[in-house]
Amino acid sequence: MKILVCIKQVPDSAQIRVHPVTNTIMRQGVPTIINPYDLFSLEEALRLRDKFGGEVTVLTMGPPMASESLRKALAIGADRAVLLTDRFFAGSDTLATTYALAQAIRKVEQTFGKQDIVFTGKQTIDGDTAQVGPGIAKRLGLLQLTYVSKLVECDPEKREVVVERRAEGGVQVLKTSMPCLITMIEGSNEVRRGAFEDSLRAARAEIVTWSAKDAEIEDLTKCGLKGSPTIVKKVFAPAPRSEKAAFVEPEKTAPDSAEALITAIFARHPSLESDLTKLASGL
Amino acid sequence: MSATPPPATRAAAKKELPEHFRDYKHVWVFVELERGEVHPVSWELLGEGRKLADKLGVELASVILGGGDGGARAAAAESFCYGADVAYLVEHPVLEDYRNESYAKAMTQLVNTHKPEILLLGATNLGRDLAGSVATTLLTGLTADCTELAVDADGSLAATRPTFGGSLLCTIYTLNYRPQMATIRPRVMAMPERAADRVGRVVPFTPDLSEDDIITKLLRFVPDRDSNKSNLAFADVVVAGGIGLQSAENFQLVRNLASVLGAEFGCSRPLVQKGWVPSERQIGQTGKTIRPKLYIAAGISGAIQHRVGVEGADCIVAINTDKNAPIFDFAHVGIVTDAIRLLPALTEAFRQRLSPHQRDRLAG
Ligand SMILES: Cc1cc2nc3c(=O)[nH]c(=O)nc-3n(C[C@H](O)[C@H](O)[C@H](O)COP(=O)(O)OP(=O)(O)OC[C@H]3O[C@@H](n4cnc5c(N)ncnc54)[C@H](O)[C@@H]3O)c2cc1C
Ligand SMILES: Cc1cc2nc3c(=O)[nH]c(=O)nc-3n(C[C@H](O)[C@H](O)[C@H](O)COP(=O)(O)OP(=O)(O)OC[C@H]3O[C@@H](n4cnc5c(N)ncnc54)[C@H](O)[C@@H]3O)c2cc1C
């Protein structure tokens, strides 16, 4: 099987700080990681390859330094890495991103063969739109299976896939055909660490690097800012709450503190007393 | 609120709206109907859509897709009670269950026929799955996971969403394309008052669909076991615990308090990661957004990813040993003390106060 996994390099959001005076994101020194949700998709792709043979290609669009994430993906076990990088892509919203990525996937298919399944992450932790997977699927005419919690069956001969998909109030069991696009949800599998040989291979591997021209992306008006219908007009910090918390002085014993706390809560929100009484008596 | 200047490259100006978009009018809300149930976010969006439509002086329409068993018709009638003037009723056997292919096709056909200027969907799994396909087919802009919507002086939709896990907000426009699309997080907009006697116009629409063209088949639907289902997102009172509780055993203190209050319990993310609490109990950016009347957080520091999920609570009570914990920046009532000692006492004190029996005895 030939499987392609889209990954995105993102800043480790646990370490992002906002400058207290200028309200801008302080990116300097913030380490970058592979978008954590993408790893579940990568793992699922590797499992299919291990079972049926074939190869896994990872693809990212980003600045040249995004090659670090591709190398990490190789070290986890991917077979080939493609970096799509060009200043024309700067400022892309999801529509422009999916145009570029879909074109690049076409080029991958011309160069390395038809792909049976394309995986993307469920969403990223920075842009967090969850729109890129559906966008690529639509542009390439792939059947779309998002929020997959389990790949139940995959039959490369019959070209069939059966998945469990997380829906509101339950799980849909869906059957579809390849080629398709799948996004896995977190916790759907245990992501492997990667073998020692893979890390050696990753360190030496050549990363296929394409500009817009290399990937035969001809219509540059569909890329970057020009190709983005959404316009970010304003970035600002959330308004700080005007009043601070009313602090309750702890008493000597816990029961006294508890009484003081409840009194303070009801003093602040008098309607809560009757609401809570109703709720508690409804038990 | 001090705004950073917009990045120069993004400050594109509004051009004259292209001719073919000028007859796009009215505000639409996609009503998410799955297996006979309307997702509450749809009503929340009708409440918000009503405000936008009134400001623009246009109609508010609900869009309901369904299999023709009457469920969609009932949802259409209900949508009038929540503020819709018009309901587009799209019924077809192929639309019985949600599948991306059939829903995206029907929705796109409806948009191309009746041309809305604004199209809102819930940022649920279904809504996000559908919105991404529809926006790509229509080649228009889609703003994800919004927490605030407004109409500018020139009539453009200003959609505001948290970025970088809520540490910043940004306002996004789709100026030169139609419809202007956005998905909105559940439980962010207030539930509108239901007006039982409100009525509206039903506009039926027959999509051009055939089961033979839809490749994906639904084999089964496995409902979640009811016992497992947490009602966290809709609870009036929520008690949650964090790492400050120090052990899985101590989490029982949170459950005990919740039980006395008739509340739901929740937790911060690390407790899910440690396996102390099931993931459907996680509150925050990557968990549930809650909007209770009372939220009690014990041993939770109040990281921004947690804060964005609880900010809508009317009263936030924080119990934390560190007086500098960020949670005190947005809590309404705080106490600097050991939660492991306080929680049992608090449970007992609430039990006494709230039990009618106890109160009568005290009074008598
Ligand atoms: C703060 C902020 C807010 C934004 N809001 C919006 C918005 O509301 N609407 C909008 O259209 N755009 C928005 N954007 C732009 C958007 O983030 C970019 O287009 C981005 O390139 C892709 O979107 P995402 O990160 O949301 O990806 P998602 O759609 O969340 O990603 C899903 C999956 O797609 C794959 N993927 C995503 N990007 C890449 C990539 N570059 N290379 C390879 N695979 C990838 C990954 O597998 C990923 O897990 C915003 C950007 C920022 C910084
Ligand atoms: C992409 C991303 C998404 C995330 N999504 C979420 C999310 O959805 N929800 C979420 O909650 N987090 C989320 N997080 C994690 C978040 O950043 C924090 O790490 C997390 O919320 C911290 O949990 P905590 O408050 O329980 O633990 P800590 O931050 O460790 O805080 C523990 C607190 O307990 C206090 N304490 C210690 N002992 C006691 C005691 N005896 N009594 C009372 N107080 C005590 C301490 O003073 C401290 O303030 C996310 C992070 C990332 C990077």
Side-chain angles (χ1 to χ4, degrees):
Chain A
M1 279 182 84
K2 289 204 158 85
I3 306 166
L4 185 133
V5 185
C6 292
I7 64 170
K8 187 183 183 192
Q9 185 169 52
V10 296
D12 187 348
S13 84
Q15 311 210 26
I16 283 201
R17 294 288 172 272
V18 176
H19 193 282
V21 178
T22 60
N23 279 332
T24 48
I25 302 264
M26 303 194 289
R27 279 172 185 269
Q28 282 110 321
V30 175
T32 55
I33 52 174
I34 297 179
N35 176 44
Y37 293 109
D38 300 353
L39 296 175
F40 301 105
S41 289
L42 176 59
E43 174 62 32
E44 212 58 38
L46 295 174
R47 286 183 187 188
L48 289 174
R49 178 207 59 192
D50 294 348
K51 190 162 170 196
F52 298 110
E55 55 184 26
V56 171
T57 302
V58 283
L59 165 67
T60 195
M61 177 182 95
M65 69 176 252
S67 63
E68 291 164 22
S69 287
L70 290 172
R71 235 175 255 289
K72 277 183 216 154
L74 291 170
I76 294 172
D79 301 285
R80 178 187 301 112
V82 178
L83 171 67
L84 183 63
T85 185
D86 204 309
R87 64 189 169 82
F88 291 114
F89 302 136
S92 295
D93 71 359
T94 56
L95 194 72
T97 299
T98 60
Y99 172 71
L101 285 174
Q103 291 298 107
I105 293 171
R106 290 199 174 97
K107 180 71 184 179
V108 165
E109 298 201 319
Q110 278 171 27
T111 320
F112 305 112
K114 275 300 270 179
Q115 304 294 308
D116 299 301
I117 302 182
V118 173
F119 280 97
T120 72
K122 171 184 107 163
Q123 66 194 58
T124 62
I125 60 167
D126 58 347
D128 181 24
T129 65
Q131 288 166 194
V132 169
I136 293 174
K138 184 52 71 194
R139 289 185 182 273
L140 294 175
L142 304 173
L143 294 153
Q144 171 177 327
L145 300 165
T146 55
Y147 307 101
V148 169
S149 50
K150 189 172 170 194
L151 241 165
V152 183
E153 253 174 70
C154 177
D155 189 333
E157 297 284 290
K158 286 206 244 152
R159 306 200 52 74
E160 272 174 14
V161 181
V162 177
V163 302
E164 291 181 1
R165 171 176 187 274
R166 174 93 320 251
E168 204 59 43
V171 170
Q172 287 186 319
V173 184
L174 293 166
K175 180 161 120 181
T176 200
S177 298
M178 291 186 233
C180 56
L181 181 136
I182 298 178
T183 82
M184 302 298 297
I185 58 172
E186 61 278 21
S188 50
N189 56 37
E190 187 98 23
V191 182
R192 68 188 64 187
R193 295 219 164 266
F196 180 62
E197 308 84 77
D198 286 322
S199 63
L200 289 182
R201 185 176 52 85
R204 288 190 308 256
E206 187 209 344
I207 287 178
V208 180
T209 304
W210 288 337
S211 64
K213 190 151 172 275
D214 298 332
E216 293 174 57
I217 297 177
E218 264 135 32
D219 194 347
L220 295 177
T221 65
K222 292 186 181 156
C223 297
L225 274 180
K226 268 209 194 97
S228 297
T230 64
I231 294 163
V232 179
K233 267 234 175 139
K234 198 166 78 177
V235 180
F236 55 101
R241 179 101 103 218
S242 43
E243 354 97 80
K244 279 286 249 183
F247 278 104
V248 174
E249 270 313 311
E251 304 288 336
K252 282 211 183 62
T253 68
D256 287 346
S257 297
E259 283 300 332
L261 182 58
I262 294 175
T263 305
I265 294 170
F266 289 162
R268 182 110 180 189
H269 289 264
S271 62
L272 269 176
E273 183 153 17
S274 66
D275 288 343
L276 287 181
T277 310
K278 263 187 237 143
L279 249 181
S281 64
L283 288 175
Chain B
M1 194 187 312
S2 59
T4 42
T9 45
R10 275 278 188 185
K14 182 171 181 171
K15 296 177 231 145
E16 186 100 22
L17 193 64
E19 183 67 41
H20 61 283
F21 285 137
R22 296 215 187 122
D23 49 345
Y24 279 66
K25 244 197 162 76
H26 307 304
V27 178
W28 287 14
V29 169
F30 171 74
V31 173
E32 185 173 325
L33 175 69
E34 197 162 30
R35 305 190 81 77
E37 297 241 6
V38 173
H39 195 294
V41 71
S42 310
W43 307 145
E44 293 162 17
L45 290 190
L46 280 173
E48 198 61 21
R50 185 71 263 164
K51 293 183 215 157
L52 302 178
D54 289 345
K55 183 111 191 265
L56 288 165
V58 299
E59 285 187 323
L60 174 66
S62 58
V63 177
I64 301 115
L65 278 60
D69 59 355
R73 238 158 297 167
E78 191 66 10
S79 75
F80 299 137
C81 305
Y82 287 105
D85 303 309
V86 184
Y88 290 103
L89 184 62
V90 186
E91 289 179 301
H92 196 290
V94 173
L95 300 173
E96 177 70 41
D97 282 285
Y98 178 74
R99 285 174 295 171
N100 176 269
E101 283 172 273
S102 47
Y103 269 60
K105 278 191 179 143
M107 193 71 202
T108 310
Q109 290 171 12
L110 185 71
V111 167
N112 284 332
T113 309
H114 289 291
K115 304 188 163 95
E117 61 192 297
I118 292 176
L119 171 56
L120 309 176
L121 303 91
T124 57
N125 283 8
L126 192 162
R128 283 179 151 205
D129 184 86
L130 178 62
S133 304
V134 171
T136 310
T137 313
L138 299 170
L139 299 174
T140 191
L142 170 58
T143 306
D145 225 11
C146 302
T147 52
E148 209 184 309
L149 298 173
V151 170
D152 263 17
D154 69 351
S156 317
L157 178 70
T160 298
R161 60 175 306 227
T163 75
F164 294 102
S167 24
L168 287 178
L169 298 169
C170 67
T171 303
I172 296 182
Y173 291 80
T174 296
L175 295 179
N176 304 310
Y177 299 84
R178 290 294 179 270
Q180 306 162 82
M181 289 181 64
T183 60
I184 293 91
R185 263 199 148 193
R187 305 294 289 157
V188 169
M189 305 301 178
M191 180 65 80
E193 229 23 88
R194 181 177 183 279
D197 51 356
R198 239 186 137 270
V199 288
R201 241 166 45 241
V202 173
V203 178
F205 180 82
T206 310
D208 181 12
L209 292 173
S210 146
E211 185 59 49
D212 297 341
D213 299 337
I214 309 297
I215 296 166
T216 305
K217 305 292 175 198
L218 179 78
L219 302 182
R220 269 191 322 282
F221 187 91
V222 188
D224 293 331
R225 274 179 297 125
D226 279 347
S227 57
N228 231 348
K229 217 164 136 188
S230 85
N231 197 27
L232 199 51
F234 301 99
D236 278 337
V237 181
V238 175
V239 185
I243 281 294
L245 294 176
Q246 290 162 16
S247 73
E249 292 69 51
N250 285 339
F251 192 77
Q252 187 59 36
L253 304 176
V254 165
R255 291 177 189 244
N256 293 349
L257 176 55
S259 147
V260 161
L261 292 173
E264 288 285 340
F265 65 90
C267 66
S268 63
R269 187 167 84 156
L271 271 54
V272 171
Q273 288 169 328
K274 285 179 182 289
W276 294 358
V277 186
S279 64
E280 79 248 17
R281 296 285 173 178
Q282 182 185 319
I283 300 170
Q285 186 200 353
T286 47
K288 297 266 179 356
T289 301
I290 60 171
R291 224 189 147 89
K293 291 179 177 153
L294 174 64
Y295 176 55
I296 302 179
I300 293 180
S301 61
I304 187 72
Q305 294 91 354
H306 188 81
R307 176 176 175 167
V308 293
V310 305
E311 259 176 331
D314 295 339
C315 178
I316 300 173
V317 177
I319 307 167
N320 197 304
T321 42
D322 175 8
K323 71 173 196 314
N324 294 317
I327 192 149
F328 291 124
D329 295 341
F330 58 95
H332 301 95
V333 180
I335 183 164
V336 179
T337 192
D338 179 0
I340 301 163
R341 282 185 56 230
L342 184 67
L343 281 174
L346 195 58
T347 305
E348 194 43 42
F350 267 123
R351 193 200 308 279
Q352 304 244 342
R353 286 236 195 175
L354 299 177
S355 134
H357 173 68
Q358 283 282 355
R359 272 193 314 192
D360 292 350
R361 216 171 43 189
L362 288 177

